[in-house]
Amino acid sequence: MAAPSSLWCLGSYLILLALNLVMCDRVSKLHVPHLTPPDSVIITISSLAGKPSLVNQQELSGIFDLSDTEFKSKGDLSGFLGGTFDIIIKSDVHTSEQHHLLVKVDNSSKLFSFSHHQYFASVLENSARHTKLDVIGDLFVNCDTDVSLRFVFGTGDKFYVKRHKNGAKQGVEIYTNGPLDREKKDSYSLLLQAKSLKGKIAQTVIHVYIQDENDEIPEFNQTKYTTNIPAGLSVGSSVLKVHAIDKDIGTISYHLEGTTDFSINPISGDIILSSSSYSVSDYKFRVVATDQGGLKSSANIQINILPRKFKVYSSSSFVKTISQSIREKF
């Protein structure tokens, strides 16, 4: 009769041991959404007595924090979508009792938002209507249901938007409503808004830069340049300076047509006497400005050569000479 009693005692001990293990190794499950800073998930640890400690602290220290009563994610769990963390917490450093917390990062409950807070896009000026903008990065909304899209600021009716479904995402494409003139406006900042069927709203900023097309000819600040120089002027003397502007991006170069007695600095536009055998007469020729795209414009040049008996005065010296003549005469 002793054997059955011993077996009963052994069985009771094993049952109590199993119950104790179950009580000491409790398991909880928690699903949290995809979070981005500064958002986070906070779990209050109320079932543990004393100050809890994280057993696998080293393994999870870069992802989670544990305070006296709270277990908190550090925010960005985007790299762990669909992953599960087995977090082991002790109720006290001096006890063997452990609490398992299974945290699963839920891929299906991501925040309703654009993939980025801002984007950069470009389009060539004068592009035809319905030209698609080149956007850096993937432009989409985190939503697996239909969304409505509209610009709420900054377009001036220059752009419109389309969407296309791509799995759990809503892809976004931006198009022009007509040709754009970079010389009038070279960039736009657009505020794009997405609205879900449940009324949730997400916004992002699109920075659009208009790429230059060489469509503007250089323009001189005068259609005709006229100056007087004395006969006998030394070779290399600067006699006139011309200037042209180009509304397109790039530089301008100059050259002369119709003369060999004068030359021009192709960058500065300074016209220089290059011959000592010029005649006493008037010179008429053309200056041509060419931009980097090959577009050209021209202006007329007239240089009057004064005989040697004439003296060219500056305005101040001329007044001084006249004043002296008047005093000598009267």
Side-chain angles (χ1 to χ4, degrees):
M1 297 297 294
S5 177
S6 299
L7 290 174
W8 183 86
C9 291
L10 179 60
S12 299
Y13 174 77
L14 291 175
I15 292 172
L16 290 173
L17 179 61
L19 288 173
N20 185 54
L21 289 174
V22 170
M23 293 298 293
C24 293
D25 194 17
R26 291 169 292 177
V27 177
S28 297
K29 293 183 179 180
L30 179 70
H31 292 261
V32 298
H34 161 53
L35 300 168
T36 56
D39 302 313
S40 62
V41 60
I42 299 176
I43 306 162
T44 302
I45 306 169
S46 58
S47 60
L48 300 179
K51 182 177 180 179
S53 61
L54 187 61
V55 175
N56 46 352
Q57 175 72 50
Q58 185 175 2
E59 178 185 351
L60 301 172
S61 60
I63 307 170
F64 300 101
D65 285 328
L66 180 67
S67 65
D68 289 350
T69 58
E70 289 182 341
F71 175 74
K72 182 179 180 181
S73 73
K74 290 187 175 180
D76 189 2
L77 301 180
S78 58
F80 304 97
L81 294 179
T84 301
F85 297 95
D86 183 9
I87 301 162
I88 307 171
I89 305 172
K90 282 187 176 183
S91 60
D92 192 274
V93 292
H94 302 295
T95 182
S96 60
E97 182 181 359
Q98 293 183 351
H99 184 92
H100 282 260
L101 183 62
L102 298 180
V103 178
K104 181 178 180 181
V105 182
D106 192 351
N107 192 28
S108 63
S109 57
K110 294 182 293 184
L111 295 177
F112 179 73
S113 64
F114 283 94
S115 49
H116 298 287
H117 297 300
Q118 64 177 351
Y119 299 84
F120 296 91
S122 63
V123 65
L124 183 66
E125 73 168 320
N126 299 322
S127 295
R129 188 181 181 186
H130 309 310
T131 298
K132 182 181 175 182
L133 272 63
D134 293 323
V135 180
I136 300 176
D138 294 329
L139 175 54
F140 61 85
V141 185
N142 290 316
C143 184
D144 55 3
T145 59
D146 289 345
V147 298
S148 61
L149 298 166
R150 70 185 185 100
F151 289 113
V152 294
F153 177 78
T155 64
D157 297 326
K158 302 294 185 182
F159 307 92
Y160 66 93
V161 63
K162 287 183 177 181
R163 67 174 178 84
H164 59 88
K165 191 171 182 180
N166 182 13
K169 303 174 183 178
Q170 298 289 331
V172 180
E173 296 175 344
I174 305 172
Y175 296 84
T176 61
N177 248 332
L180 299 168
D181 189 347
R182 190 201 67 86
E183 285 71 41
K184 292 182 178 179
K185 189 173 178 64
D186 60 1
S187 64
Y188 297 82
S189 291
L190 317 177
L191 182 60
L192 178 60
Q193 177 179 286
K195 188 175 182 180
S196 70
L197 296 177
K198 295 182 179 180
K200 293 183 178 180
I201 291 178
Q203 292 182 335
T204 188
V205 178
I206 315 292
H207 301 284
V208 181
Y209 296 93
I210 311 303
Q211 296 176 340
D212 184 45
E213 181 184 44
N214 194 60
D215 60 343
E216 298 284 344
I217 65 172
E219 295 180 0
F220 283 97
N221 57 356
Q222 296 177 217
T223 57
K224 182 178 181 180
Y225 297 86
T226 303
T227 189
N228 301 322
I229 64 172
L233 193 66
S234 59
V235 174
S237 298
S238 178
V239 299
L240 184 63
K241 183 180 178 68
V242 299
H243 179 68
I245 61 172
D246 187 5
K247 294 180 180 179
D248 292 318
I249 299 174
T251 58
I252 293 175
S253 62
Y254 302 96
H255 73 273
L256 300 179
E257 293 181 351
T259 183
T260 57
D261 291 330
F262 297 89
S263 60
I264 189 170
N265 185 310
I267 298 175
S268 68
D270 286 302
I271 296 178
I272 301 167
L273 179 63
S274 57
S275 173
S276 59
S277 60
Y278 62 91
S279 60
V280 181
S281 62
D282 297 336
Y283 282 86
K284 295 180 180 179
F285 51 91
R286 295 169 63 239
V287 57
V288 179
T290 307
D291 67 14
Q292 286 185 321
L295 297 181
K296 300 178 180 181
S297 66
S298 63
N300 294 319
I301 304 290
Q302 180 171 334
I303 299 178
N304 301 316
I305 309 299
L306 300 180
R308 292 181 182 274
K309 64 179 180 179
F310 287 93
K311 186 175 182 180
V312 179
Y313 293 96
S314 65
S315 58
S316 58
S317 62
F318 179 76
V319 172
K320 183 177 180 182
T321 302
I322 294 298
S323 300
Q324 289 176 346
S325 299
I326 293 174
R327 285 197 300 270
E328 291 173 359
K329 187 173 183 179
F330 296 99

